[in-house]
Amino acid sequence: MARRKYLLGFSPARVGEPITYMIVKEFDLMVNILRAEIDERGGRLLLEIEGKPHKITSGVKYLKEKGVEVKELNEYVSKEEERCTHCGMCVSICPADAFEMDKKTYKVHFKSDKCIACGLCLDACPPNAMKLRIW
Ligand code: SF4
Ligand code: SF4
């Protein structure tokens, strides 16, 4: 089982359709709505989706085919380099190994492609260098 977070963007034409219900039913996924900002003019849903990885992939493909804008949440996690003190705190807590300490320079590098947007580093980073900007 895998768990991923996505930000979905709905156009006004898609608002009335039971699209999220369909991905639960058709792809055997569990969906948790973390945040919603949507009305008849369209809007956004922040979802946590849990299920078999290939089913999540199929569900996301279905959403895109239906005209929903889908972005994985890790695309919104970033590191403000000027704030980072390279303390290494995030290296030890990140469950996805998304940080690497350069053994020569002792600089910490963020690998966003590995991030699963769990949010742990956002709370743990002493100078607040890790950011999640979605809304
Ligand atoms: S916890 Fe924050 S300050 Fe420390 S290395 Fe990570 S991003 Fe940089
Ligand atoms: S949000 Fe979670 S997975 Fe992503 S870098 Fe921070 S600790 Fe790692």
Side-chain angles (χ1 to χ4, degrees):
M1 292 289 249
R3 190 182 296 166
R4 296 185 197 144
K5 291 176 185 156
Y6 293 93
L7 185 64
L8 309 187
F10 290 84
S11 66
R14 295 286 166 253
V15 168
E17 295 182 24
I19 288 172
T20 46
Y21 165 75
M22 288 303 288
I23 64 166
V24 172
K25 186 167 173 285
E26 295 296 322
F27 302 99
D28 198 22
L29 298 172
M30 281 186 279
V31 171
N32 184 17
I33 298 175
L34 302 174
R35 188 165 174 186
E37 198 175 78
I38 194 160
D39 59 23
E40 69 283 354
R41 294 165 295 173
R44 295 184 289 184
L45 278 184
L46 180 56
L47 295 185
E48 185 174 72
I49 300 178
E50 190 173 347
K52 292 185 177 158
H54 71 281
K55 296 264 188 182
I56 295 179
T57 303
S58 300
V60 166
K61 186 165 172 271
Y62 169 84
L63 288 170
K64 288 179 176 172
E65 285 168 359
K66 285 286 179 185
V68 179
E69 187 186 323
V70 185
K71 286 202 166 190
E72 201 160 355
L73 202 61
N74 65 359
E75 295 176 48
Y76 298 91
V77 178
S78 62
K79 179 151 95 67
E80 277 186 22
E81 292 300 336
E82 60 279 11
R83 279 181 179 260
C84 177
T85 57
H86 303 279
C87 67
M89 189 87 84
C90 54
V91 180
S92 54
I93 63 153
C94 176
D97 289 331
F99 295 96
E100 261 176 31
M101 171 82 78
D102 186 314
K103 292 191 176 80
K104 286 184 184 153
T105 63
Y106 294 102
K107 299 275 186 198
V108 172
H109 300 288
F110 174 49
K111 310 278 182 189
S112 63
D113 57 322
K114 289 188 169 182
C115 171
I116 55 170
C118 71
L120 288 176
C121 62
L122 303 174
D123 296 329
C125 175
N128 242 348
M130 295 306 297
K131 304 288 181 194
L132 176 65
R133 292 200 178 90
I134 52 169
W135 241 261

